[in-house]
Amino acid sequence: MRLRALLETEALGLRLLGGEEELDRTVRGVMTTDLRDPSRYLSGGELVLTGLAWRRNSADSEPFVRILASAGVAGLAAGEAELGDIPDDLVSACRRNRLPLFAVNEDVAFATITEYVVRQVSGERAGDLAAVVDRHRRLMTSGPAGGGPDVVLDLLTTDLDLRAWVLSPTGRQIAGAGEPLAPGVCATLASEHLAAVRTGRRGPHRMSIQGITYSLFPIRGHGRGPGPAARDVRESVLSDWLLAVEADAGDWPAERLDLLQGVTQLIAVERERRDAARTVRRRLAQEVLELVQTGAAPAEIAARLRVAAPVLLPGLGGAPHWQVVVARVDWDGGDIPGGPVAQSLLEEILVDPSISGPEPSDRIAVAHAGDEAIALVPLPPLPGEPGEEKGGPDSALHADVLLTSVREPLAAGLADDGRLTLGVSAAVHSAEGLRGALEEARHARRVAAARPGRVCAAGHHELASHVLLLPFVPDDVRRAFTARLLDPLRDYDRRHRAELIPTLEAFLDCDGSWTRCATRLHLHVNTLRYRVGRIEQLTARDLSRLEDKLDFFLALRMS
């Protein structure tokens, strides 16, 4: 039913206070609340009834309304029994967030409105559609035996003649009914969906490929959707799954749209269940990496790896080789944490894109700290000659191909204010090599960050002529190289206390980002630009050039 129908029903005693242009919104349910944050109980499309007990002062209205708008509720109805006239701050907050607001006459009970809405909505959902939804719900809540998303999509096909697929944000097929979609089609659908989400368009999003129309529905989990746990869409856009349906939903009746929204919520439950199963692998990765970074003894690291190996590679016959992959997601302004996003992306990117289903990602352990995510990737040893062990490196990841199939969707999700950089280490066969592999992957990521583009990767082979050769450079050559670049800056710092060396270190550590570097150093961007300009003047170098950045980086490393 539509909001307009509620307003036109005199017995409900509703008076419109704002949102005339939104009265054609569909009401799919009703909820009464006086919680300051009712988001956990909202799924979208509700008429929310409130007695305003959550409001202690005028500052409370904006956060409450923003939570409702982010959850996609149809409208808000506030009772006049407690405070009399509806406060102006609530009216203003609803107008700013485009949320229709009604006043409920003090003589009308909330139960009367609830009963009316439930009766109307239930009547529209009666019949076969209600039976289909109930069957879906029973299957999804019956545990693994229910079959997961694939069974739900099969029922959409058999009951409603709809072909549908669940896709990851990189365009990998997670589940599907019937023939799988071509990888190119999956990537294009994911790109369109991410671009639509970033521009704020309401779903479902529609597009045609080779004469076939698809409707795209977001699958948002609890704490991952646009609610209070993720107020900025950038926090979730690169981790949410999507449902692609081979149909044009533009002319669907409200009950069919409601059914598909219900299906996405059921699949989101399955997504949450699978995410929870990753907790053990993430904890293993975190423990191993903490040992590596704190300089723990190789024997202690090796013991932890022996625990991790059977979890990541069940049935393994021998000790695996290991690779480290480091990823970082940076957003302009630096106000959105990139670590969780990078972690979710790594868990997806490191899966072979030709493999459908969520299970392959169960063999990847990814931890995150700050804006950085670190993956510990086991490589199964290959059989060799008797008494020898080959393998690992032969099946190693390669930076130049890792992002090939996912570059288009990721670029759409990052839009014009995000960036993903990724570095890949060489394969190592023991705990002793992990610390070097971690540093190698981090240095490779810095090389990727110095390149143009929204999605960049670099591998260990690109460091061979720089970082890996430093131990073999004669001491006198190292001293001469360092002095030539850094002595002018040190002398200037001693005379003027200008802190050019710390500024250079921070600038390189922030991958040349003026905003993040200025924030880290607590400087105005203009002051930072002056200091960098002085560095370039004193050294006759250009910090916008990759070669000069690398020279400074190596000089600081050797000093």
Side-chain angles (χ1 to χ4, degrees):
M1 65 176 302
R2 307 287 180 180
L3 282 175
R4 191 180 305 278
L6 293 174
L7 190 62
E8 294 170 351
T9 305
E10 294 183 2
L12 299 182
L14 297 179
R15 189 173 77 259
L16 184 65
L17 300 181
E20 295 85 351
E21 66 279 8
E22 304 289 341
L23 289 179
D24 286 324
R25 289 187 181 185
T26 300
V27 180
R28 298 189 175 94
V30 63
M31 189 190 87
T32 300
T33 184
D34 276 313
L35 294 175
R36 295 167 67 87
D37 180 1
S39 57
R40 72 183 67 180
Y41 306 111
L42 298 172
S43 58
E46 297 92 343
L47 173 67
V48 175
L49 306 176
T50 180
L52 301 178
W54 50 265
R55 182 184 178 278
R56 296 182 176 87
N57 55 59
S58 60
D60 292 337
S61 292
E62 180 68 26
F64 180 81
V65 172
R66 191 179 300 160
I67 288 171
L68 300 187
S70 297
V73 304
L76 173 65
E80 296 179 320
E82 183 70 23
L83 300 179
D85 292 338
I86 305 303
D88 291 340
D89 49 90
L90 180 60
V91 177
S92 299
C94 287
R95 286 175 179 168
R96 282 193 298 270
N97 290 274
R98 299 180 62 84
L99 182 67
L101 174 64
F102 302 89
V104 182
N105 189 285
E106 60 181 351
D107 296 327
V108 178
F110 282 178
T112 301
I113 300 174
T114 300
E115 181 181 355
Y116 179 85
V117 172
V118 169
R119 186 169 60 249
Q120 294 297 316
V121 172
S122 298
E124 293 179 3
R125 293 179 180 175
D128 293 338
L129 285 176
V132 171
V133 172
D134 186 58
R135 287 173 62 189
H136 282 66
R137 184 171 291 109
R138 288 200 307 272
L139 281 165
M140 289 299 292
T141 57
S142 61
D150 287 290
V151 173
V152 175
L153 301 184
D154 285 339
L155 283 176
L156 280 180
T157 300
T158 57
D159 291 359
L160 298 178
D161 196 25
L162 292 175
R163 297 180 66 207
W165 302 264
V166 176
L167 305 179
S168 76
T170 64
R172 188 173 63 88
Q173 182 171 314
I174 304 296
E179 291 294 321
L181 291 172
V185 173
C186 290
T188 301
L189 291 174
S191 299
E192 168 64 21
H193 171 73
L194 292 174
V197 172
R198 286 307 312 273
T199 55
R201 286 157 38 203
R202 294 178 67 90
H205 314 119
R206 291 170 288 155
M207 72 172 305
S208 294
I209 302 177
Q210 299 175 350
I212 300 175
T213 299
Y214 298 89
S215 296
L216 311 176
F217 297 80
I219 299 174
R220 298 190 176 105
H222 303 294
R224 195 188 286 106
R231 296 187 184 279
D232 193 304
V233 70
R234 292 175 294 179
E235 295 183 54
S236 61
V237 65
L238 292 173
S239 58
D240 285 339
W241 288 354
L242 66 132
L243 177 66
V245 181
E246 188 181 302
D248 187 345
D251 55 358
W252 279 4
E255 58 266 25
R256 177 160 289 204
L257 285 172
D258 185 40
L259 170 64
L260 266 294
Q261 294 292 350
V263 170
T264 64
Q265 293 168 15
L266 294 173
I267 295 175
V269 173
E270 179 69 12
R271 170 70 189 272
E272 295 292 333
R273 181 186 304 165
R274 295 183 187 277
D275 279 354
R278 289 179 174 175
T279 302
V280 173
R281 294 185 297 280
R282 288 174 172 175
R283 187 182 302 120
L284 284 173
Q286 192 72 47
E287 291 174 354
V288 171
L289 291 169
E290 285 178 359
L291 291 174
V292 170
Q293 295 183 96
T294 55
E300 188 177 359
I301 300 174
R304 179 53 56 185
L305 286 177
R306 285 194 293 272
V307 173
V311 176
L312 301 177
L313 286 175
L316 184 66
H321 290 74
W322 299 92
Q323 257 184 303
V324 176
V325 181
V326 173
R328 183 176 176 122
V329 172
D330 292 296
W331 302 103
D332 289 355
D335 56 338
I336 303 298
V341 179
Q343 181 182 47
S344 180
L345 277 182
L346 263 190
E347 289 174 334
E348 175 60 32
I349 290 170
L350 295 176
V351 178
D352 185 341
S354 65
I355 300 176
S356 63
E359 288 74 17
S361 63
D362 292 349
R363 296 186 175 187
I364 296 165
V366 184
H368 79 81
D371 289 331
E372 183 182 69
I374 305 168
L376 194 63
V377 183
L379 304 173
L382 302 178
E385 297 296 329
E388 296 182 1
E389 182 182 75
K390 291 183 179 179
D394 295 331
S395 56
L397 302 168
H398 297 280
D400 53 349
V401 298
L402 198 56
L403 298 177
T404 301
S405 63
V406 300
R407 193 177 302 274
E408 179 187 352
L410 291 183
L414 293 164
D416 58 356
D417 59 350
R419 192 154 192 253
L420 168 69
T421 52
L422 185 145
V424 183
S425 78
V428 296
H429 70 279
S430 66
E432 289 85 347
L434 270 184
R435 184 165 189 174
L438 176 58
E439 287 301 311
E440 196 173 63
R442 281 176 167 160
H443 293 322
R445 192 206 64 79
R446 290 172 186 249
V447 171
R451 297 171 174 165
R454 291 289 170 186
V455 183
C456 297
H460 61 91
H461 60 282
E462 300 179 64
L463 303 175
S465 61
H466 303 289
V467 176
L468 298 186
L469 293 183
L470 287 183
F472 304 99
V473 178
D475 288 344
D476 56 340
V477 175
R478 292 159 65 104
R479 283 192 295 268
F481 178 76
T482 301
R484 186 169 64 252
L485 276 177
L486 300 184
D487 278 1
L489 306 182
R490 290 171 177 151
D491 291 340
Y492 192 90
D493 280 348
R494 277 194 296 270
R495 294 195 308 270
H496 302 282
R497 298 182 180 179
E499 297 187 330
L500 295 186
I501 292 290
T503 299
L504 175 62
E505 291 175 331
F507 187 75
L508 294 176
D509 191 53
C510 292
D511 301 325
S513 169
W514 297 100
T515 303
R516 285 195 291 114
C517 185
T519 301
R520 176 180 296 190
L521 295 175
H522 305 290
L523 297 174
H524 191 279
V525 172
N526 289 341
T527 303
L528 175 62
R529 291 185 185 276
Y530 172 82
R531 288 188 183 181
V532 171
R534 180 63 68 183
I535 292 171
E536 293 175 332
Q537 182 183 31
L538 292 170
T539 60
R541 296 298 186 110
D542 182 357
L543 276 168
S544 67
R545 298 178 68 247
L546 172 61
E547 293 84 351
D548 290 341
K549 285 181 180 177
L550 285 175
D551 283 348
F552 277 121
F553 171 74
L554 294 173
L556 290 168
R557 286 272 299 176
M558 291 187 290
S559 62

